[in-house]
Amino acid sequence: MSLPSPTPAPGRHTPGPGPGEPPPHGPSSVPPRVLTVAGSDSGGGAGIQADLKAMLALGVHGMSVITAVTAQNSLGVQGYWELPAEAVRAQFRSVVDDIGVQAVKTGMLASIELVETVSDLLAGVDAPVVVDPVGVSKHGDALLAAEAVATVREKLLPVATLATPNLHEVTQLTGRTVEDEGGMLDAAKALLDLGPRWVLVKGGHLEGEAADLLYGGPGEEHWYRAPRYDNRHTHGTGCTLASAIAAGLAKGEPLPEAVASAKEYVTGAIAGGFALGAGIGPVDHAWRWR
């Protein structure tokens, strides 16, 4: 008597075609397209690398504009080198003018010139823009020149559909120190006054549950909560969350739903974070398939 085929575990895929074999359903339809404008992480845990991994995991086609190259590993950022504004502009125009985008995510922009360049480019894009206002790395290394913070406030945030600061970035942008969940709403209001359509204040640095607040003005307040995992390997969390939200928006999800699905994906990635090197390892972008 033949035995029934095993049922795949939830979240896992059955094996695909063998090497060199075409997919059984024929050519794929064009997936939603998402562009990340960010720095490269040589260790593969954050930045452009994390963005593209998250986009692939969530079923969209990721494209990239590299703004800076970092020498980075599990111990920290040993150095970074900005690309010329001309190179950033050329990458952006090359992708947007030919392929098109259905969402854009920004990360490390490094300098006043690059913040200004990217802000001007985004002002002409008819697609949602998720701004992750990267200021420092997971290890505390500066990834944005101090003099560029004002330019982020004045030029980048006003073109954002959503800004996704952590609590350190909230302080950098508003001067406010958030010490509990009660302070997150006031911080969100202060950030909204800087011009984005929505703000997601991430409370991951507080004690207790991992709580985030999405705020879009009176009557548009949404809280997202998840268990906190005892896992120090969380490199790339912010990049991954912003990219996951952008992926949801590109697929047509309303913003509150896109944040909810991104939060669920990132929570699983944090739970699956693994050790690399001698320091802080990355979240697991492929946790649903392992």
Side-chain angles (χ1 to χ4, degrees), residues 48-133:
I48 289 281
Q49 288 81 355
D51 297 340
L52 295 178
K53 291 174 186 178
M55 292 171 190
L56 177 63
L58 294 171
V60 301
H61 176 68
M63 304 167 291
S64 62
V65 170
I66 298 177
T67 59
V69 175
T70 71
Q72 186 172 174
N73 57 26
S74 69
L75 298 173
V77 179
Q78 290 75 49
Y80 72 79
W81 299 265
E82 302 162 26
L83 269 67
E86 179 183 1
V88 171
R89 190 178 298 109
Q91 292 176 81
F92 188 95
R93 293 263 60 94
S94 179
V95 171
V96 173
D97 295 347
D98 173 48
I99 301 172
V101 295
Q102 286 153 316
V104 182
K105 176 262 179 184
T106 73
M108 176 186 179
L109 299 181
S111 68
I112 290 176
E113 184 178 20
L114 291 184
V115 173
E116 289 179 338
T117 298
V118 172
S119 299
D120 290 343
L121 290 166
L122 293 175
V125 171
D126 185 21
V129 175
V130 179
V131 170
D132 184 16

Side-chain angles (χ1 to χ4, degrees), residues 29 33 41 66 76 81-82 86 98 123 134 145 148 151 153 157 179 193 202-203 211 226 234-235 256:
S29 58
R33 291 144 289 159
D41 174 2
I66 298 177
W81 299 265
E82 302 162 26
E86 179 183 1
D98 173 48
V134 174
T151 312
R153 282 195 294 260
L157 292 183
E179 297 180 345
D193 288 342
K202 299 178 296 191
T234 56
H235 186 48

Side-chain angles (χ1 to χ4, degrees), residues 3-250:
L3 296 175
S5 300
T7 301
R12 296 184 181 273
H13 296 290
T14 54
E21 296 179 14
H25 49 71
S28 298
S29 58
V30 178
R33 291 144 289 159
V34 183
L35 177 64
T36 170
V37 183
S40 169
D41 174 2
S42 55
I48 289 281
Q49 288 81 355
D51 297 340
L52 295 178
K53 291 174 186 178
M55 292 171 190
L56 177 63
L58 294 171
V60 301
H61 176 68
M63 304 167 291
S64 62
V65 170
I66 298 177
T67 59
V69 175
T70 71
Q72 186 172 174
N73 57 26
S74 69
L75 298 173
V77 179
Q78 290 75 49
Y80 72 79
W81 299 265
E82 302 162 26
L83 269 67
E86 179 183 1
V88 171
R89 190 178 298 109
Q91 292 176 81
F92 188 95
R93 293 263 60 94
S94 179
V95 171
V96 173
D97 295 347
D98 173 48
I99 301 172
V101 295
Q102 286 153 316
V104 182
K105 176 262 179 184
T106 73
M108 176 186 179
L109 299 181
S111 68
I112 290 176
E113 184 178 20
L114 291 184
V115 173
E116 289 179 338
T117 298
V118 172
S119 299
D120 290 343
L121 290 166
L122 293 175
V125 171
D126 185 21
V129 175
V130 179
V131 170
D132 184 16
V134 174
V136 297
S137 75
K138 181 70 67 178
H139 305 85
D141 303 298
L143 297 175
L144 179 70
E147 62 270 19
V149 174
T151 312
V152 171
R153 282 195 294 260
E154 296 163 9
K155 294 201 168 185
L156 185 61
L157 292 183
V159 300
T161 306
L162 172 69
T164 63
N166 62 31
L167 298 185
H168 296 313
E169 291 154 355
V170 166
T171 301
Q172 190 177 43
L173 292 167
T174 69
R176 295 173 177 266
T177 300
V178 177
E179 297 180 345
D180 53 36
E181 287 189 13
M184 291 173 65
L185 180 58
D186 289 338
K189 291 177 178 178
L191 284 159
L192 203 69
D193 288 342
L194 298 177
R197 172 64 185 86
W198 293 82
V199 173
L200 180 67
V201 176
K202 299 178 296 191
H205 293 101
L206 297 177
E207 298 294 327
E209 286 184 308
D212 301 331
L213 169 63
L214 176 67
Y215 184 70
E220 294 180 323
E221 179 181 334
H222 307 265
W223 285 90
Y224 303 86
R225 301 181 183 278
R228 186 179 298 277
Y229 291 98
D230 185 18
N231 185 355
R232 66 189 293 261
H233 302 301
T234 56
H235 186 48
T237 307
C239 305
T240 301
L241 179 65
S243 294
I245 295 170
L249 293 175

